Amino acid sequence: MHRTFETTTERHQRTLDGQWEFLTDPGDEGYDGDYHESFPAEEADRLSVPSSWNAHREYADYVGPAWYRRTFETRTEDSLLFTFHGVARDATVYLDGEEVASHEGAYTPFDALARDLDAGEHELVVRADNTRREATLPHDDVDWFPHGGIHREVVVETVPDVYVRDLAVDYDIYGDEATVEAAVTLHNLDPRPAEPDLTVSVGEASVTEPVEVDGMDAATATLALDIEDVERWTPDDPTLYDVEARLDGERADDREGGAFTDDLRDRIGFRTVSTSGRDILVNGEPVAIAGVNRHEDHPEWGSAQPLRVQERDLELIRRAGCNAVRCSHYPNHPRFLDLCDERGVLVIEEIPMWGVDESTMVSTQERAQRTLMEMVERDRHHPSVFAWSLSNECANDESTVVDGTRKLKWAADGVDGSRLITVASNTDFEGGTDGTFEFCDFLSVNAYWGWYREGDWSEFLDGIEADYGEKPLVVTEFGAGAVPGDRTHEGRKWSESYQADLLADCVDLFRERESVAGFTVWQFCDTLTNPDSAMTRPRTRNNKGVLDEYRRPKEAYRVLRERLADD
Ligand code: ADA
């Protein structure tokens, strides 16, 4: 499943995992509502969902539109809610020949509701397109591979006529007491009004109130409850609470078939995040961030990693002595964040605004805003996520970019005021002044002294402190490329030895400096890069992993472990 726990007990929930018909469409022939006419079945291949088509040898290099098709059966007439947890990258969905959803962006979910779908066989067709352009998010020149396809789960749920559309939980915590506010949105698919009882529970505590929702309408009710003896979520003791919104009701006119029940579940952890001077605080205590950057990439699985790969990655991150992950450079699979919640790993989550300049800022602003909202709404309950990162290495010395990023900050604050905001910047490294720092809660700085540039890290940090010293600073990227197995006595570039020495020096320096609240090494493991960069990236990979692409350790992993792990 797409989470590590059940998100409903009332709904019949199934995934449409498995083999779908698959056909690439390099000429973008289109679809006229009859799949077999448009794409003769005998030409179709069979491809597993979820997966990246680029993780299949035949389609390893395919970039462009492609079609997926499958059928499924329903036994009774029901309303079905289809949730696509990630289609890379732009998607259009057709149910029985009719377009029911379209979505831009590979890393956030979208859904489609089919009201009163007849019993019988149905056809689902999905067009996915991973072509990157100047105005897509990410754009065409980013440093990671353009995995394509239905790379996250497709979940189908049977929902009653009145169902819980959304559950948004917010809380304030004082000592060991918390006041919780749960905003629950109900959707009534029936013309008759409904007055169900809504119960919100958080752990053992619960509150029930009658709520009203008009026919064919939606309504949001906010229920409050107090929790005593709260056990906080901390990185060392990551206590989680189940939260649930449950509906029980009868139709007001009491016609036959009027009873309904529904529930939607999630988890929260009670904790605060804040800053004080140059420190990042969790529950009021300073934490030293020691983490890695992680792409969702694997030679066998591409961007669609099974649970065990996600678990193992976190085990290896923990084993290195790290307590944090930067999800570079996009919202990660929701189950990965569940695992971070369970293991007390702190997360910086980012949207794929990577290396955007003035003109791409204008063309991507709307997409960025939508993706940000989708990320915050999806992940607002994860206690592990302590910061939203609005962008990575954009032209933050240009006013258009700064103004656009400020708008993103306002949008994030509007939905979730409980996390820190940051922007990963290389502006100073490039010799400019960063206009976004002013509205960030902490500074995220990417710099590659000792790799791309010769220069002195201490001097660079002195400069940053002088210019922006009143806020916490996290060095979110630093590192060196190392081709696995290349070890040299001379410590030449591209060798494991060079990378290990550089990381050792950096980690020692960052841990000594009071101004540095933490760091995230670039990067966890070697990852496939943009095929256009093949001539500057040996093995067409970004080789700055402390592990290779199969997660085998390089010298640098040992160096990290020696410095950060207790055992
Ligand atoms: C940048 C960028 C990363 C990666 C890195 C590198 O800092 O944010 O995605 O491309 O450089 O390896 O050069």
Side-chain angles (χ1 to χ4, degrees):
M1 282 303 283
H2 62 294
R3 306 295 299 266
T4 61
F5 57 92
E6 287 185 312
T7 54
T8 181
T9 56
E10 294 293 341
R11 298 179 189 176
H12 176 241
Q13 190 182 58
R14 58 175 156 162
T15 66
L16 295 183
D17 292 359
Q19 293 198 318
W20 291 48
E21 283 172 32
F22 176 77
L23 207 54
T24 58
D25 184 14
D28 202 4
E29 298 295 321
Y31 166 66
D32 65 2
D34 182 342
Y35 178 85
H36 285 112
E37 282 281 312
S38 308
F39 306 104
E42 58 278 12
E43 288 178 20
D45 201 350
R46 292 186 77 73
L47 212 72
S48 49
V49 167
S51 78
S52 149
W53 68 59
N54 305 93
H56 300 254
R57 196 180 55 78
E58 304 82 330
Y59 307 106
D61 300 321
Y62 184 70
V63 174
W67 295 89
Y68 287 85
R69 174 190 179 266
R70 70 163 285 161
T71 55
F72 62 94
E73 248 187 75
T74 51
R75 289 276 168 92
T76 48
E77 179 184 302
D78 280 314
S79 294
L80 297 186
L81 183 64
F82 297 83
T83 305
F84 292 82
H85 286 280
V87 180
R89 194 208 52 248
D90 293 346
T92 314
V93 178
Y94 305 84
L95 177 64
D96 297 331
E98 297 290 324
E99 180 176 329
V100 289
S102 70
H103 182 257
E104 292 169 342
Y107 311 107
T108 45
F110 61 97
D111 59 34
L113 179 79
R115 193 170 160 243
D116 296 336
L117 197 65
D118 292 339
E121 189 179 85
H122 299 279
E123 179 189 60
L124 206 53
V125 171
V126 177
R127 177 188 192 269
D129 187 356
N130 63 342
T131 315
R132 288 173 175 168
R133 301 191 181 83
E134 207 198 337
T136 58
L137 206 69
H139 60 67
D140 48 358
D141 196 25
V142 299
D143 186 24
W144 72 94
F145 191 83
H147 285 289
I150 307 179
H151 68 154
R152 292 183 186 163
E153 292 74 7
V154 183
V155 176
V156 188
E157 293 171 322
T158 309
V159 290
D161 282 349
V162 183
Y163 72 99
V164 182
R165 178 84 190 138
D166 188 40
L167 164 67
V169 178
D170 210 357
Y171 60 80
D172 284 315
I173 179 160
Y174 314 94
D176 62 358
E177 282 177 27
T179 50
V180 176
E181 275 198 348
V184 182
T185 302
L186 315 182
H187 193 184
N188 187 353
L189 301 175
D190 191 279
R192 295 169 287 172
E195 289 179 21
D197 283 337
L198 170 64
T199 302
V200 168
S201 52
V202 178
E204 301 293 308
S206 72
V207 57
T208 302
E209 285 180 18
V211 289
E212 285 177 29
V213 54
D214 288 341
M216 305 300 288
D217 206 355
T220 301
T222 302
L223 271 59
L225 66 172
D226 295 327
I227 314 283
E228 288 174 1
D229 300 326
V230 168
E231 284 186 47
R232 294 205 181 212
W233 184 95
T234 69
D236 293 330
D237 187 7
T239 306
L240 294 168
Y241 284 68
D242 293 329
V243 293
E244 183 190 66
R246 168 174 290 275
L247 286 183
D248 285 290
E250 294 274 340
R251 289 286 172 196
D253 58 8
D254 209 20
R255 271 191 260 161
E256 200 188 332
F260 54 88
T261 54
D262 188 37
D263 71 338
L264 195 60
R265 300 170 143 210
D266 205 344
R267 296 189 311 199
I268 59 167
F270 289 100
R271 53 107 187 88
T272 58
V273 287
S274 54
T275 64
S276 169
R278 290 170 170 175
D279 289 328
I280 291 178
L281 313 179
V282 176
N283 294 314
E285 299 287 326
V287 279
I289 309 287
V292 291
N293 286 274
R294 179 177 173 277
H295 266 297
E296 289 184 319
D297 192 69
H298 189 285
E300 313 285 3
W301 303 97
S303 57
Q305 304 172 354
L307 173 63
R308 185 58 199 133
V309 170
Q310 297 173 328
E311 284 176 342
R312 182 144 187 275
D313 281 3
L314 278 170
E315 283 159 22
L316 293 171
I317 287 167
R318 275 302 204 192
R319 187 157 185 271
C322 290
N323 62 5
V325 177
R326 174 168 173 247
C327 293
S328 50
H329 295 287
Y330 38 79
N332 276 207
H333 193 290
R335 195 177 50 214
F336 182 74
L337 299 179
D338 289 339
L339 295 172
C340 291
D341 291 344
E342 290 164 15
R343 289 157 199 235
V345 173
L346 295 162
V347 172
I348 301 176
E349 229 193 350
E350 191 162 271
I351 56 167
M353 285 282 282
W354 189 101
V356 165
D357 60 18
E358 279 199 284
S359 79
T360 37
M361 185 76 205
V362 174
S363 51
T364 51
Q365 175 89 45
E366 254 182 54
R367 282 175 187 233
Q369 191 128 339
R370 267 200 310 272
T371 304
L372 178 67
M373 287 301 91
E374 288 170 355
M375 172 176 84
V376 174
E377 281 169 11
R378 190 195 70 168
D379 294 333
R380 62 192 158 198
H381 294 154
H382 288 287
S384 56
V385 178
F386 76 98
W388 306 122
S389 174
L390 305 178
S391 69
N392 178 72
E393 299 191 358
C394 294
N396 297 341
D397 47 355
E398 306 284 353
S399 60
T400 316
V401 175
V402 175
D403 292 346
T405 314
R406 191 183 283 110
K407 284 189 196 144
L408 295 177
K409 144 127 179 122
W410 290 336
D413 283 349
V415 192
D416 172 59
S418 73
R419 287 178 175 80
L420 306 179
I421 294 285
T422 193
V423 167
S425 170
N426 67 342
T427 314
D428 278 70
F429 184 53
E430 297 290 344
T433 299
D434 197 302
T436 67
F437 279 163
E438 170 215 328
F439 54 81
C440 287
D441 296 308
F442 67 92
L443 318 178
S444 290
V445 174
N446 298 354
Y448 285 89
W449 301 110
W451 182 248
Y452 294 122
R453 304 277 171 88
E454 291 315 312
D456 186 60
W457 264 105
S458 297
E459 235 173 70
F460 171 71
L461 291 173
D462 288 344
I464 297 273
E465 272 169 41
D467 292 342
Y468 312 104
E470 75 282 7
K471 291 185 182 174
L473 159 69
V474 177
V475 182
T476 34
E477 288 189 33
F478 62 103
V483 173
D486 186 24
R487 303 202 181 95
T488 59
H489 291 291
E490 298 76 17
R492 293 213 170 92
K493 276 189 170 174
W494 292 112
S495 70
E496 286 193 25
S497 338
Y498 185 90
Q499 179 197 33
D501 290 347
L502 183 104
L503 288 190
D505 290 348
C506 285
V507 169
D508 291 345
L509 176 72
F510 300 157
R511 294 175 91 202
E512 259 168 30
R513 279 189 90 112
E514 249 182 62
S515 68
V516 178
F519 56 85
T520 49
V521 177
W522 187 269
Q523 63 170 341
F524 169 65
C525 70
D526 293 346
T527 50
L528 268 188
T529 187
N530 189 334
D532 294 345
S533 310
M535 298 315 288
T536 51
R537 296 268 191 252
R539 311 184 308 129
T540 323
R541 293 188 192 282
N542 186 311
N543 293 291
K544 298 189 188 75
V546 295
L547 307 174
D548 75 5
E549 60 276 21
Y550 287 101
R551 283 58 173 164
R552 292 174 296 209
K554 299 187 196 169
E555 268 191 51
Y557 184 80
R558 177 183 51 78
V559 156
L560 274 191
R561 227 174 100 65
E562 276 169 9
R563 279 164 174 73
L564 303 175
D566 295 335
D567 56 2

